[in-house]
Amino acid sequence: MDDFVTVAGVDDLESGELKKVVHEGKVLLLARVGDNYYCADNRCPHLGGDLSQGDLEGTIIKCPLHKSQFDLKDGKVIRWTNWSGIKLALSKIFRPPREMETYPLKIEEGKIMVQI
Ligand code: FES
């Protein structure tokens, strides 16, 4: 198991805010929902959209590119793109839905620490 690393301070994010952080070349998405914090890959598993530029509703992050939705609690796909019909069917063949990678996180002494 890797050790936890500090990626930000708890006061660096307001509730409902998304933040992109880079740690040793790895680009991560931090999110704060109330007093809970979440960490995931910043890269959308669909086609690499910058999730830090997406919309956050509760723990659901919506990608700015094609509007796929993922739950930050576990990375599960809520919706794969906002496409429909043949376009969605083809996209699922060529790019099957896949979960967003999430990372364990803990708060210690005002620091957001992530296990990556
Ligand atoms: S890149 Fe995120 S939904 Fe397409």
Side-chain angles (χ1 to χ4, degrees):
M1 273 281 174
D2 294 337
D3 291 331
F4 282 83
V5 296
T6 300
V7 291
V10 291
D11 294 333
D12 292 341
L13 289 98
E14 301 286 333
S15 181
E17 189 178 353
L18 299 165
K19 185 178 186 68
K20 181 180 354 183
V21 296
V22 180
H23 180 79
E24 294 183 356
K26 197 166 184 72
V27 185
L28 303 168
L29 173 70
L30 287 180
R32 178 176 177 178
V33 181
D35 288 332
N36 295 315
Y37 295 82
Y38 302 92
C39 183
D41 262 349
N42 189 58
R43 189 176 153 80
C44 177
H46 179 232
L47 290 174
D50 180 352
L51 292 174
S52 71
Q53 299 302 308
D55 295 321
L56 183 64
E57 283 187 33
T59 60
I60 308 299
I61 176 80
K62 186 192 294 182
C63 179
L65 289 188
H66 314 110
K67 313 302 181 194
S68 286
Q69 297 177 27
F70 307 90
D71 193 335
L72 285 163
K73 288 187 288 191
D74 52 16
K76 291 220 179 322
V77 178
I78 304 300
R79 180 172 179 168
W80 193 242
T81 76
N82 62 354
W83 298 337
S84 59
I86 189 74
K87 190 174 180 184
L88 178 61
L90 286 172
S91 89
K92 284 184 171 178
I93 291 169
F94 293 109
R95 195 70 180 168
R98 59 194 75 188
E99 293 183 1
M100 176 177 67
E101 189 165 3
T102 58
Y103 301 97
L105 181 151
K106 66 180 181 181
I107 305 296
E108 271 186 15
E109 299 175 359
K111 297 176 189 160
I112 303 171
M113 304 180 76
V114 177
Q115 191 176 41
I116 49 179

mmCIF file of all heavy atoms in Angstrom, residues 44 46-49 63 65-68, ligand 1:
data_model
loop_
_atom_site.group_PDB
_atom_site.id
_atom_site.type_symbol
_atom_site.label_atom_id
_atom_site.label_comp_id
_atom_site.label_asym_id
_atom_site.label_seq_id
_atom_site.Cartn_x
_atom_site.Cartn_y
_atom_site.Cartn_z
ATOM 1 N N CYS A 44 -11.601 12.325 -17.535
ATOM 2 C CA CYS A 44 -12.848 11.572 -17.744
ATOM 3 C C CYS A 44 -12.545 10.240 -18.414
ATOM 4 O O CYS A 44 -11.810 10.197 -19.406
ATOM 5 C CB CYS A 44 -13.798 12.390 -18.617
ATOM 6 S SG CYS A 44 -15.332 11.522 -19.023
ATOM 7 N N HIS A 46 -14.303 8.607 -20.324
ATOM 8 C CA HIS A 46 -14.851 8.511 -21.685
ATOM 9 C C HIS A 46 -13.782 8.895 -22.698
ATOM 10 O O HIS A 46 -13.201 8.022 -23.337
ATOM 11 C CB HIS A 46 -16.112 9.387 -21.823
ATOM 12 C CG HIS A 46 -16.691 9.349 -23.196
ATOM 13 N ND1 HIS A 46 -16.979 10.481 -23.906
ATOM 14 C CD2 HIS A 46 -17.018 8.297 -23.992
ATOM 15 C CE1 HIS A 46 -17.475 10.138 -25.097
ATOM 16 N NE2 HIS A 46 -17.508 8.814 -25.166
ATOM 17 N N LEU A 47 -13.490 10.163 -22.823
ATOM 18 C CA LEU A 47 -12.482 10.602 -23.794
ATOM 19 C C LEU A 47 -11.555 11.664 -23.203
ATOM 20 O O LEU A 47 -11.029 12.503 -23.926
ATOM 21 C CB LEU A 47 -13.152 11.122 -25.070
ATOM 22 C CG LEU A 47 -13.839 10.064 -25.935
ATOM 23 C CD1 LEU A 47 -14.591 10.712 -27.096
ATOM 24 C CD2 LEU A 47 -12.838 9.038 -26.463
ATOM 25 N N GLY A 48 -11.370 11.614 -21.897
ATOM 26 C CA GLY A 48 -10.329 12.428 -21.288
ATOM 27 C C GLY A 48 -10.695 13.854 -20.951
ATOM 28 O O GLY A 48 -9.797 14.680 -20.746
ATOM 29 N N GLY A 49 -11.972 14.165 -20.872
ATOM 30 C CA GLY A 49 -12.376 15.518 -20.508
ATOM 31 C C GLY A 49 -11.802 15.931 -19.156
ATOM 32 O O GLY A 49 -11.537 15.091 -18.290
ATOM 33 N N CYS A 63 -19.096 15.577 -16.673
ATOM 34 C CA CYS A 63 -17.993 15.965 -17.549
ATOM 35 C C CYS A 63 -18.409 17.132 -18.455
ATOM 36 O O CYS A 63 -19.522 17.137 -18.991
ATOM 37 C CB CYS A 63 -17.566 14.772 -18.403
ATOM 38 S SG CYS A 63 -16.236 15.162 -19.551
ATOM 39 N N LEU A 65 -17.357 17.803 -21.408
ATOM 40 C CA LEU A 65 -17.349 17.527 -22.849
ATOM 41 C C LEU A 65 -18.641 16.881 -23.348
ATOM 42 O O LEU A 65 -19.362 17.458 -24.142
ATOM 43 C CB LEU A 65 -16.147 16.652 -23.224
ATOM 44 C CG LEU A 65 -14.787 17.339 -23.166
ATOM 45 C CD1 LEU A 65 -13.706 16.427 -23.735
ATOM 46 C CD2 LEU A 65 -14.820 18.646 -23.942
ATOM 47 N N HIS A 66 -18.924 15.664 -22.910
ATOM 48 C CA HIS A 66 -20.103 14.952 -23.430
ATOM 49 C C HIS A 66 -21.076 14.595 -22.320
ATOM 50 O O HIS A 66 -21.952 13.761 -22.496
ATOM 51 C CB HIS A 66 -19.673 13.696 -24.194
ATOM 52 C CG HIS A 66 -18.542 13.944 -25.145
ATOM 53 N ND1 HIS A 66 -17.269 13.457 -24.933
ATOM 54 C CD2 HIS A 66 -18.490 14.683 -26.274
ATOM 55 C CE1 HIS A 66 -16.467 13.873 -25.911
ATOM 56 N NE2 HIS A 66 -17.182 14.612 -26.740
ATOM 57 N N LYS A 67 -20.866 15.212 -21.155
ATOM 58 C CA LYS A 67 -21.833 15.180 -20.050
ATOM 59 C C LYS A 67 -22.007 13.816 -19.381
ATOM 60 O O LYS A 67 -23.047 13.563 -18.764
ATOM 61 C CB LYS A 67 -23.202 15.709 -20.494
ATOM 62 C CG LYS A 67 -23.154 17.010 -21.287
ATOM 63 C CD LYS A 67 -22.495 18.128 -20.525
ATOM 64 C CE LYS A 67 -22.495 19.428 -21.341
ATOM 65 N NZ LYS A 67 -21.619 20.443 -20.821
ATOM 66 N N SER A 68 -21.015 12.929 -19.490
ATOM 67 C CA SER A 68 -21.080 11.707 -18.685
ATOM 68 C C SER A 68 -21.111 12.100 -17.213
ATOM 69 O O SER A 68 -20.545 13.130 -16.821
ATOM 70 C CB SER A 68 -19.851 10.810 -18.933
ATOM 71 O OG SER A 68 -19.941 10.185 -20.182
HETATM 72 S S1 FES B 1 -14.873 13.082 -22.376
HETATM 73 FE FE1 FES B 1 -16.134 13.082 -20.639
HETATM 74 S S2 FES B 1 -18.063 12.521 -21.400
HETATM 75 FE FE2 FES B 1 -16.785 12.463 -23.124
#
